Amino acid sequence: MIEEKGYRDEELPHPRTFQRLLNRLNYRLRRVQKTKPLKKIQETEAIFENVAKANRESDEREDSLRISIDSKAHLKIGELSRGGKSRGEKAPEAHDHDTEVKATLIPFGILEVTVAVLTITFGASRETADFIVDCLELWWQERKTVYAHIRELVINLDNGPEIASHRTQFIKRLVEFADRHDLPIRLVYYPPYHSKYNPIERCWGALERHWNGTLLSTIETALRWAGTMTWKGCHPFIKLLEGFYEKRSSPV
């Protein structure tokens, strides 16, 4: 008020007067609140029991294969800072603002849970049900000889918008996949708001720690860095799926 309105110090009300006015306007002193706990639906515990039972049954069967699937946050390609650190004589220099994005990649992961084999397929278009099932198809075409004895595929997943059980296109494509390969599929969903328990989530944390100090300036750089990470002592298989995807459509 002194600087903007020209009042003198002796003309101003007592600080307690300001406090009372602020309180009346609901600008009260408030404690910093901790983050709200995860939401929990009534059926959460029952769902977790079913998940544990289904996973155990699969792991105990020699002819059942359990995988965990999920996509990671979209990856911007360019001279962009990721907030990490890298070892070198000079610090890498990134653009001041994240406006010069050359491309965007969609990482989709498939973790073979019991053997800790990870496959990451990067899409260059959109995350759709068709893209997800095409990633599964690409993965199975390369791994089916290893799993010639498998008679059931159990998939751990969350309730994401493209892979939810009510997503008709996702279910349709999975049925086609199962029929084509004569491979029954069992979907095991983690409870809503608890996707962090899906095994693949821990792989994403390892990938982020691995490359967050790097300038992923090109698609090739991103793929190369993803391939040098390790999960349980092994490097992942890296794929690039370049088809163009639109909502509710197949790749062109």
Side-chain angles (χ1 to χ4, degrees), residues 133 137 140-141 144 151 153 170-186:
V133 180
E137 180 70 41
W140 184 246
Q141 289 293 345
K144 63 182 180 181
R151 295 295 176 263
L153 184 63
F170 177 61
I171 299 301
K172 172 180 177 293
R173 290 293 310 277
L174 273 186
V175 170
E176 294 172 349
F177 177 93
D179 290 343
R180 183 164 53 252
H181 298 291
D182 191 22
L183 186 65
I185 296 176
R186 187 176 182 185

Side-chain angles (χ1 to χ4, degrees), residues 112-129:
E112 298 162 31
V113 181
T114 58
V115 294
V117 173
L118 175 63
T119 299
I120 304 176
T121 302
F122 290 87
S125 181
R126 296 181 180 178
E127 181 185 354
T128 67

Side-chain angles (χ1 to χ4, degrees), residues 224-236:
R224 185 169 64 253
W225 269 90
T228 58
M229 73 164 282
T230 57
W231 177 252
K232 304 289 187 178
C234 298
H235 297 301

Side-chain angles (χ1 to χ4, degrees), residues 230-250:
T230 57
W231 177 252
K232 304 289 187 178
C234 298
H235 297 301
F237 296 105
I238 302 299
K239 308 294 179 186
L240 178 64
L241 193 56
E242 297 182 289
F244 179 73
Y245 292 85
E246 291 185 351
K247 295 296 182 181
R248 300 189 181 185
S249 70
S250 297

Side-chain angles (χ1 to χ4, degrees), residues 133-189:
V133 180
D134 284 351
C135 289
L136 283 168
E137 180 70 41
L138 183 62
W139 163 79
W140 184 246
Q141 289 293 345
E142 297 203 357
R143 298 292 287 167
K144 63 182 180 181
T145 55
V146 177
Y147 294 116
H149 63 289
I150 292 299
R151 295 295 176 263
E152 177 192 57
L153 184 63
V154 174
I155 303 179
N156 290 157
L157 66 174
D158 59 29
N159 286 273
E162 296 296 333
I163 58 177
S165 58
H166 63 266
R167 188 72 167 89
T168 55
Q169 181 65 9
F170 177 61
I171 299 301
K172 172 180 177 293
R173 290 293 310 277
L174 273 186
V175 170
E176 294 172 349
F177 177 93
D179 290 343
R180 183 164 53 252
H181 298 291
D182 191 22
L183 186 65
I185 296 176
R186 187 176 182 185
L187 301 180
V188 180
Y189 284 92

Side-chain angles (χ1 to χ4, degrees), residues 63 103 131 165 206 208 212 218 220 229:
D63 62 348
F131 165 71
S165 58
E208 194 60 34
N212 70 351
T218 66
E220 292 73 19
M229 73 164 282

